[in-house]
């Protein structure tokens, strides 16, 4: 959450002449409502079921860059679909940077709690090992520009996502 998946994903897709899809935006398009509304009506479990279906649909697309929501790795089926369906990049951003990027964003339902920084710490502690378990590449840092990350990915990996 707040790592830059959508921003970097769009830039990478543009550079590769691929289509970009954000799984959260796809969920909103399919349901016709915002993520906070889904959380309000169906709770996190209802949202995660919808997310799993979208990820299953998107995981096997060719010539696409897909950005998932931060909690997509919580379900084993999502981790398997992501790992089996493509090249997984984990954008590992330090907690203080994530906090700065997310603290004023009202469209992050999981952070609408009395202590959002503590919640962010808990989410990071829970999700970090899961991302590491499926990542083909971990990109670390918070001060790297979008273009430098895209350049790094192209330089380091060529185009392994064309498997």
């Amino acid at each position: 959450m707040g790592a830059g998946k959508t921003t970097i994903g769009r830039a990478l897709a543009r550079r590769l002449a691929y289509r970009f899809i954000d799984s959260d935006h796809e969920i909103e398009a399919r349901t016709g409502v915002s993520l906070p509304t889904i959380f309000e009506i169906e709770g996190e479990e209802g949202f995660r079921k919808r997310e799993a279906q979208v990820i299953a649909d998107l995981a096997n697309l060719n010539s696409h860059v897909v950005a998932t929501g931060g909690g997509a790795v919580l379900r084993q089926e999502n981790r398997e679909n992501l790992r089996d369906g493509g090249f997984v990049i984990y954008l590992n951003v330090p907690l203080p940077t994530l906090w700065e990027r997310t603290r004023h964003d009202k469209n992050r339902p999981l952070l609408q709690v009395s202590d959002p920084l503590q919640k962010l710490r808990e989410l990071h502690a829970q999700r970090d090992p899961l991302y590491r378990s499926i990542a083909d590449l971990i990109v670390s840092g918070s001060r790297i520009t979008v273009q430098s990350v895209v350049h790094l990915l192209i330089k380091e990996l060529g185009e392994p996502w064309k498997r």
Side-chain angles (χ1 to χ4, degrees):
M1 185 183 318
K5 298 177 298 293
T6 298
T7 303
I8 290 171
R10 276 193 183 112
L12 180 60
R14 201 169 28 254
R15 173 72 161 74
L16 296 172
Y18 283 4
R19 183 167 176 232
F20 173 75
I21 300 176
D22 179 300
S23 66
D24 284 348
H25 295 157
E26 183 67 16
I27 293 166
E28 289 179 333
R30 290 183 185 192
T31 62
V33 298
S34 69
L35 297 186
T37 301
I38 295 170
F39 270 80
E40 183 181 323
I41 295 169
E42 299 179 0
E44 185 174 359
E45 182 59 27
F47 170 77
R48 296 293 172 206
K49 286 180 184 175
R50 291 179 182 279
E51 180 181 57
Q53 181 58 58
V54 166
I55 288 173
D57 293 346
L58 299 178
N60 293 310
L61 295 175
N62 293 318
S63 302
H64 282 70
V65 174
V66 176
T68 66
V73 294
L74 296 174
R75 286 184 174 235
Q76 179 67 31
E77 66 187 291
N78 290 345
R79 292 192 303 273
E80 291 170 4
N81 281 329
L82 292 168
R83 183 179 50 239
D84 296 344
F87 191 87
V88 178
I89 301 164
Y90 171 30
L91 301 174
N92 182 27
V93 177
L95 214 44
T97 303
L98 295 176
W99 172 242
E100 282 302 312
R101 291 179 183 175
T102 60
R103 66 189 185 130
H104 297 297
D105 190 341
K106 300 299 180 200
N107 287 318
R108 302 199 184 266
L110 293 177
L111 296 183
Q112 304 311 306
V113 295
S114 60
D115 189 350
L117 179 56
Q118 180 57 33
K119 182 65 173 181
L120 196 58
R121 282 187 190 108
E122 292 166 7
L123 293 172
H124 187 267
Q126 177 187 36
R127 296 171 180 183
D128 179 71
L130 299 173
Y131 273 109
R132 289 177 184 282
S133 75
I134 64 166
D136 293 297
L137 175 69
I138 299 171
V139 177
S140 298
S142 60
R143 291 176 167 61
I144 300 173
T145 67
V146 172
Q147 290 309 318
S148 63
V149 171
V150 170
H151 179 76
L152 171 73
L153 294 173
I154 299 296
K155 179 182 174 193
E156 292 290 320
L157 303 168
E159 294 185 25
W161 29 79
K162 286 192 175 182
R163 35 178 178 181

mmCIF file of all heavy atoms in Angstrom, residues 38-71:
data_model
loop_
_atom_site.group_PDB
_atom_site.id
_atom_site.type_symbol
_atom_site.label_atom_id
_atom_site.label_comp_id
_atom_site.label_asym_id
_atom_site.label_seq_id
_atom_site.Cartn_x
_atom_site.Cartn_y
_atom_site.Cartn_z
ATOM 1 N N ILE A 38 -17.177 -1.088 -1.133
ATOM 2 C CA ILE A 38 -17.157 -2.554 -1.041
ATOM 3 C C ILE A 38 -16.804 -2.976 0.377
ATOM 4 O O ILE A 38 -17.457 -3.851 0.959
ATOM 5 C CB ILE A 38 -16.170 -3.169 -2.058
ATOM 6 C CG1 ILE A 38 -16.635 -2.891 -3.485
ATOM 7 C CG2 ILE A 38 -16.021 -4.677 -1.829
ATOM 8 C CD1 ILE A 38 -15.623 -3.240 -4.553
ATOM 9 N N PHE A 39 -15.773 -2.345 0.956
ATOM 10 C CA PHE A 39 -15.393 -2.667 2.327
ATOM 11 C C PHE A 39 -16.528 -2.383 3.295
ATOM 12 O O PHE A 39 -16.775 -3.156 4.221
ATOM 13 C CB PHE A 39 -14.140 -1.874 2.736
ATOM 14 C CG PHE A 39 -12.850 -2.574 2.446
ATOM 15 C CD1 PHE A 39 -12.315 -2.569 1.168
ATOM 16 C CD2 PHE A 39 -12.155 -3.232 3.445
ATOM 17 C CE1 PHE A 39 -11.116 -3.206 0.886
ATOM 18 C CE2 PHE A 39 -10.959 -3.874 3.182
ATOM 19 C CZ PHE A 39 -10.432 -3.870 1.908
ATOM 20 N N GLU A 40 -17.216 -1.280 3.091
ATOM 21 C CA GLU A 40 -18.313 -0.898 3.987
ATOM 22 C C GLU A 40 -19.463 -1.906 3.930
ATOM 23 O O GLU A 40 -20.024 -2.290 4.953
ATOM 24 C CB GLU A 40 -18.822 0.493 3.609
ATOM 25 C CG GLU A 40 -19.914 1.028 4.506
ATOM 26 C CD GLU A 40 -20.387 2.399 4.061
ATOM 27 O OE1 GLU A 40 -19.554 3.211 3.608
ATOM 28 O OE2 GLU A 40 -21.605 2.644 4.165
ATOM 29 N N ILE A 41 -19.796 -2.360 2.731
ATOM 30 C CA ILE A 41 -20.943 -3.258 2.555
ATOM 31 C C ILE A 41 -20.570 -4.722 2.806
ATOM 32 O O ILE A 41 -21.293 -5.445 3.482
ATOM 33 C CB ILE A 41 -21.533 -3.098 1.137
ATOM 34 C CG1 ILE A 41 -22.114 -1.690 0.980
ATOM 35 C CG2 ILE A 41 -22.589 -4.161 0.858
ATOM 36 C CD1 ILE A 41 -22.488 -1.333 -0.436
ATOM 37 N N GLU A 42 -19.436 -5.161 2.260
ATOM 38 C CA GLU A 42 -19.083 -6.576 2.297
ATOM 39 C C GLU A 42 -17.971 -6.913 3.278
ATOM 40 O O GLU A 42 -17.688 -8.085 3.498
ATOM 41 C CB GLU A 42 -18.663 -7.033 0.899
ATOM 42 C CG GLU A 42 -19.746 -6.878 -0.142
ATOM 43 C CD GLU A 42 -19.306 -7.322 -1.525
ATOM 44 O OE1 GLU A 42 -18.152 -7.766 -1.698
ATOM 45 O OE2 GLU A 42 -20.131 -7.231 -2.443
ATOM 46 N N GLY A 43 -17.315 -5.897 3.813
ATOM 47 C CA GLY A 43 -16.184 -6.144 4.695
ATOM 48 C C GLY A 43 -14.957 -6.561 3.909
ATOM 49 O O GLY A 43 -14.996 -6.722 2.681
ATOM 50 N N GLU A 44 -13.860 -6.745 4.632
ATOM 51 C CA GLU A 44 -12.613 -7.116 3.962
ATOM 52 C C GLU A 44 -12.732 -8.488 3.295
ATOM 53 O O GLU A 44 -12.220 -8.679 2.193
ATOM 54 C CB GLU A 44 -11.443 -7.105 4.939
ATOM 55 C CG GLU A 44 -10.121 -7.381 4.235
ATOM 56 C CD GLU A 44 -8.895 -7.254 5.118
ATOM 57 O OE1 GLU A 44 -9.025 -6.929 6.313
ATOM 58 O OE2 GLU A 44 -7.793 -7.479 4.586
ATOM 59 N N GLU A 45 -13.419 -9.416 3.931
ATOM 60 C CA GLU A 45 -13.539 -10.762 3.356
ATOM 61 C C GLU A 45 -14.258 -10.736 2.006
ATOM 62 O O GLU A 45 -13.850 -11.402 1.058
ATOM 63 C CB GLU A 45 -14.247 -11.708 4.333
ATOM 64 C CG GLU A 45 -14.374 -13.130 3.820
ATOM 65 C CD GLU A 45 -13.038 -13.798 3.490
ATOM 66 O OE1 GLU A 45 -12.007 -13.440 4.070
ATOM 67 O OE2 GLU A 45 -13.046 -14.690 2.616
ATOM 68 N N GLY A 46 -15.334 -9.953 1.909
ATOM 69 C CA GLY A 46 -16.042 -9.829 0.639
ATOM 70 C C GLY A 46 -15.164 -9.223 -0.432
ATOM 71 O O GLY A 46 -15.145 -9.674 -1.583
ATOM 72 N N PHE A 47 -14.410 -8.209 -0.042
ATOM 73 C CA PHE A 47 -13.475 -7.590 -0.989
ATOM 74 C C PHE A 47 -12.426 -8.602 -1.441
ATOM 75 O O PHE A 47 -12.122 -8.701 -2.634
ATOM 76 C CB PHE A 47 -12.786 -6.372 -0.363
ATOM 77 C CG PHE A 47 -11.650 -5.869 -1.202
ATOM 78 C CD1 PHE A 47 -11.890 -5.122 -2.344
ATOM 79 C CD2 PHE A 47 -10.336 -6.171 -0.877
ATOM 80 C CE1 PHE A 47 -10.844 -4.688 -3.141
ATOM 81 C CE2 PHE A 47 -9.293 -5.745 -1.668
ATOM 82 C CZ PHE A 47 -9.537 -4.996 -2.805
ATOM 83 N N ARG A 48 -11.854 -9.358 -0.502
ATOM 84 C CA ARG A 48 -10.787 -10.318 -0.846
ATOM 85 C C ARG A 48 -11.299 -11.400 -1.797
ATOM 86 O O ARG A 48 -10.551 -11.869 -2.661
ATOM 87 C CB ARG A 48 -10.187 -10.944 0.411
ATOM 88 C CG ARG A 48 -9.473 -9.965 1.318
ATOM 89 C CD ARG A 48 -8.214 -9.391 0.697
ATOM 90 N NE ARG A 48 -7.684 -8.327 1.549
ATOM 91 C CZ ARG A 48 -6.950 -7.331 1.112
ATOM 92 N NH1 ARG A 48 -6.620 -7.246 -0.167
ATOM 93 N NH2 ARG A 48 -6.521 -6.406 1.936
ATOM 94 N N LYS A 49 -12.553 -11.801 -1.675
ATOM 95 C CA LYS A 49 -13.124 -12.777 -2.612
ATOM 96 C C LYS A 49 -13.177 -12.186 -4.018
ATOM 97 O O LYS A 49 -12.832 -12.845 -4.997
ATOM 98 C CB LYS A 49 -14.519 -13.199 -2.169
ATOM 99 C CG LYS A 49 -14.532 -14.118 -0.989
ATOM 100 C CD LYS A 49 -15.949 -14.494 -0.589
ATOM 101 C CE LYS A 49 -15.959 -15.342 0.655
ATOM 102 N NZ LYS A 49 -17.314 -15.618 1.130
ATOM 103 N N ARG A 50 -13.629 -10.954 -4.120
ATOM 104 C CA ARG A 50 -13.676 -10.282 -5.419
ATOM 105 C C ARG A 50 -12.262 -10.126 -5.994
ATOM 106 O O ARG A 50 -12.032 -10.346 -7.184
ATOM 107 C CB ARG A 50 -14.337 -8.918 -5.295
ATOM 108 C CG ARG A 50 -15.816 -8.987 -5.002
ATOM 109 C CD ARG A 50 -16.412 -7.587 -4.866
ATOM 110 N NE ARG A 50 -17.815 -7.632 -4.544
ATOM 111 C CZ ARG A 50 -18.788 -7.825 -5.422
ATOM 112 N NH1 ARG A 50 -18.511 -8.001 -6.692
ATOM 113 N NH2 ARG A 50 -20.047 -7.848 -5.028
ATOM 114 N N GLU A 51 -11.344 -9.748 -5.137
ATOM 115 C CA GLU A 51 -9.954 -9.567 -5.555
ATOM 116 C C GLU A 51 -9.366 -10.871 -6.088
ATOM 117 O O GLU A 51 -8.680 -10.877 -7.117
ATOM 118 C CB GLU A 51 -9.150 -9.062 -4.364
ATOM 119 C CG GLU A 51 -7.675 -8.832 -4.643
ATOM 120 C CD GLU A 51 -6.952 -8.353 -3.403
ATOM 121 O OE1 GLU A 51 -6.985 -9.052 -2.360
ATOM 122 O OE2 GLU A 51 -6.350 -7.266 -3.470
ATOM 123 N N ALA A 52 -9.648 -11.985 -5.419
ATOM 124 C CA ALA A 52 -9.124 -13.286 -5.849
ATOM 125 C C ALA A 52 -9.631 -13.648 -7.242
ATOM 126 O O ALA A 52 -8.871 -14.166 -8.074
ATOM 127 C CB ALA A 52 -9.497 -14.370 -4.844
ATOM 128 N N GLN A 53 -10.885 -13.367 -7.522
ATOM 129 C CA GLN A 53 -11.436 -13.658 -8.846
ATOM 130 C C GLN A 53 -10.760 -12.801 -9.917
ATOM 131 O O GLN A 53 -10.402 -13.292 -10.989
ATOM 132 C CB GLN A 53 -12.944 -13.437 -8.873
ATOM 133 C CG GLN A 53 -13.571 -13.757 -10.217
ATOM 134 C CD GLN A 53 -13.313 -15.193 -10.652
ATOM 135 O OE1 GLN A 53 -13.677 -16.119 -9.942
ATOM 136 N NE2 GLN A 53 -12.690 -15.399 -11.804
ATOM 137 N N VAL A 54 -10.577 -11.538 -9.619
ATOM 138 C CA VAL A 54 -9.927 -10.640 -10.584
ATOM 139 C C VAL A 54 -8.487 -11.075 -10.834
ATOM 140 O O VAL A 54 -8.043 -11.146 -11.985
ATOM 141 C CB VAL A 54 -10.004 -9.168 -10.105
ATOM 142 C CG1 VAL A 54 -9.068 -8.270 -10.895
ATOM 143 C CG2 VAL A 54 -11.436 -8.662 -10.207
ATOM 144 N N ILE A 55 -7.767 -11.407 -9.788
ATOM 145 C CA ILE A 55 -6.369 -11.836 -9.956
ATOM 146 C C ILE A 55 -6.299 -13.129 -10.743
ATOM 147 O O ILE A 55 -5.441 -13.291 -11.616
ATOM 148 C CB ILE A 55 -5.663 -11.930 -8.598
ATOM 149 C CG1 ILE A 55 -5.420 -10.512 -8.079
ATOM 150 C CG2 ILE A 55 -4.349 -12.707 -8.701
ATOM 151 C CD1 ILE A 55 -4.884 -10.438 -6.680
ATOM 152 N N ALA A 56 -7.205 -14.055 -10.488
ATOM 153 C CA ALA A 56 -7.233 -15.298 -11.270
ATOM 154 C C ALA A 56 -7.453 -14.986 -12.750
ATOM 155 O O ALA A 56 -6.825 -15.602 -13.619
ATOM 156 C CB ALA A 56 -8.331 -16.228 -10.748
ATOM 157 N N ASP A 57 -8.305 -14.033 -13.044
ATOM 158 C CA ASP A 57 -8.572 -13.654 -14.433
ATOM 159 C C ASP A 57 -7.374 -12.964 -15.088
ATOM 160 O O ASP A 57 -7.100 -13.157 -16.270
ATOM 161 C CB ASP A 57 -9.783 -12.721 -14.521
ATOM 162 C CG ASP A 57 -11.095 -13.394 -14.136
ATOM 163 O OD1 ASP A 57 -11.139 -14.648 -14.051
ATOM 164 O OD2 ASP A 57 -12.072 -12.660 -13.903
ATOM 165 N N LEU A 58 -6.668 -12.137 -14.313
ATOM 166 C CA LEU A 58 -5.594 -11.324 -14.874
ATOM 167 C C LEU A 58 -4.244 -12.040 -14.922
ATOM 168 O O LEU A 58 -3.385 -11.681 -15.735
ATOM 169 C CB LEU A 58 -5.419 -10.033 -14.057
ATOM 170 C CG LEU A 58 -6.607 -9.090 -13.985
ATOM 171 C CD1 LEU A 58 -6.275 -7.894 -13.092
ATOM 172 C CD2 LEU A 58 -7.023 -8.632 -15.370
ATOM 173 N N ALA A 59 -4.044 -13.031 -14.078
ATOM 174 C CA ALA A 59 -2.723 -13.629 -13.897
ATOM 175 C C ALA A 59 -2.155 -14.278 -15.148
ATOM 176 O O ALA A 59 -0.942 -14.352 -15.304
ATOM 177 C CB ALA A 59 -2.759 -14.650 -12.763
ATOM 178 N N ASN A 60 -3.001 -14.722 -16.034
ATOM 179 C CA ASN A 60 -2.492 -15.434 -17.205
ATOM 180 C C ASN A 60 -2.536 -14.629 -18.491
ATOM 181 O O ASN A 60 -2.353 -15.182 -19.577
ATOM 182 C CB ASN A 60 -3.251 -16.755 -17.369
ATOM 183 C CG ASN A 60 -2.934 -17.705 -16.240
ATOM 184 O OD1 ASN A 60 -1.774 -17.941 -15.933
ATOM 185 N ND2 ASN A 60 -3.955 -18.202 -15.580
ATOM 186 N N LEU A 61 -2.764 -13.344 -18.378
ATOM 187 C CA LEU A 61 -2.766 -12.500 -19.571
ATOM 188 C C LEU A 61 -1.345 -12.319 -20.086
ATOM 189 O O LEU A 61 -0.397 -12.217 -19.307
ATOM 190 C CB LEU A 61 -3.361 -11.126 -19.246
ATOM 191 C CG LEU A 61 -4.830 -11.085 -18.851
ATOM 192 C CD1 LEU A 61 -5.218 -9.664 -18.443
ATOM 193 C CD2 LEU A 61 -5.710 -11.578 -19.985
ATOM 194 N N ASN A 62 -1.196 -12.269 -21.373
ATOM 195 C CA ASN A 62 0.097 -11.986 -21.991
ATOM 196 C C ASN A 62 0.198 -10.511 -22.325
ATOM 197 O O ASN A 62 -0.816 -9.852 -22.557
ATOM 198 C CB ASN A 62 0.275 -12.813 -23.272
ATOM 199 C CG ASN A 62 0.393 -14.286 -22.975
ATOM 200 O OD1 ASN A 62 1.063 -14.691 -22.034
ATOM 201 N ND2 ASN A 62 -0.288 -15.097 -23.759
ATOM 202 N N SER A 63 1.404 -10.008 -22.368
ATOM 203 C CA SER A 63 1.682 -8.623 -22.753
ATOM 204 C C SER A 63 0.913 -7.617 -21.906
ATOM 205 O O SER A 63 0.383 -6.633 -22.409
ATOM 206 C CB SER A 63 1.393 -8.411 -24.242
ATOM 207 O OG SER A 63 2.159 -9.296 -25.020
ATOM 208 N N HIS A 64 0.849 -7.877 -20.617
ATOM 209 C CA HIS A 64 0.191 -7.000 -19.658
ATOM 210 C C HIS A 64 1.110 -6.790 -18.454
ATOM 211 O O HIS A 64 1.844 -7.693 -18.072
ATOM 212 C CB HIS A 64 -1.113 -7.612 -19.145
ATOM 213 C CG HIS A 64 -2.245 -7.511 -20.087
ATOM 214 N ND1 HIS A 64 -2.302 -8.231 -21.260
ATOM 215 C CD2 HIS A 64 -3.371 -6.776 -20.054
ATOM 216 C CE1 HIS A 64 -3.425 -7.952 -21.897
ATOM 217 N NE2 HIS A 64 -4.087 -7.060 -21.175
ATOM 218 N N VAL A 65 1.007 -5.624 -17.866
ATOM 219 C CA VAL A 65 1.590 -5.369 -16.553
ATOM 220 C C VAL A 65 0.407 -5.199 -15.612
ATOM 221 O O VAL A 65 -0.481 -4.397 -15.875
ATOM 222 C CB VAL A 65 2.477 -4.101 -16.557
ATOM 223 C CG1 VAL A 65 2.941 -3.769 -15.147
ATOM 224 C CG2 VAL A 65 3.664 -4.270 -17.507
ATOM 225 N N VAL A 66 0.411 -5.978 -14.540
ATOM 226 C CA VAL A 66 -0.692 -5.947 -13.588
ATOM 227 C C VAL A 66 -0.172 -5.469 -12.234
ATOM 228 O O VAL A 66 0.797 -6.021 -11.711
ATOM 229 C CB VAL A 66 -1.333 -7.348 -13.433
ATOM 230 C CG1 VAL A 66 -2.421 -7.336 -12.368
ATOM 231 C CG2 VAL A 66 -1.882 -7.836 -14.768
ATOM 232 N N ALA A 67 -0.819 -4.461 -11.680
ATOM 233 C CA ALA A 67 -0.529 -4.015 -10.322
ATOM 234 C C ALA A 67 -1.650 -4.514 -9.430
ATOM 235 O O ALA A 67 -2.826 -4.305 -9.739
ATOM 236 C CB ALA A 67 -0.445 -2.492 -10.266
ATOM 237 N N THR A 68 -1.284 -5.195 -8.359
ATOM 238 C CA THR A 68 -2.295 -5.701 -7.434
ATOM 239 C C THR A 68 -2.436 -4.763 -6.253
ATOM 240 O O THR A 68 -1.568 -3.940 -5.992
ATOM 241 C CB THR A 68 -1.907 -7.092 -6.907
ATOM 242 O OG1 THR A 68 -0.733 -6.961 -6.107
ATOM 243 C CG2 THR A 68 -1.698 -8.069 -8.034
ATOM 244 N N GLY A 69 -3.512 -4.929 -5.528
ATOM 245 C CA GLY A 69 -3.645 -4.229 -4.266
ATOM 246 C C GLY A 69 -2.632 -4.777 -3.280
ATOM 247 O O GLY A 69 -2.162 -5.913 -3.422
ATOM 248 N N GLY A 70 -2.298 -3.990 -2.282
ATOM 249 C CA GLY A 70 -1.273 -4.378 -1.326
ATOM 250 C C GLY A 70 -1.556 -5.675 -0.584
ATOM 251 O O GLY A 70 -0.638 -6.406 -0.229
ATOM 252 N N GLY A 71 -2.817 -6.001 -0.355
ATOM 253 C CA GLY A 71 -3.165 -7.204 0.391
ATOM 254 C C GLY A 71 -3.421 -8.425 -0.461
ATOM 255 O O GLY A 71 -3.814 -9.471 0.059
#
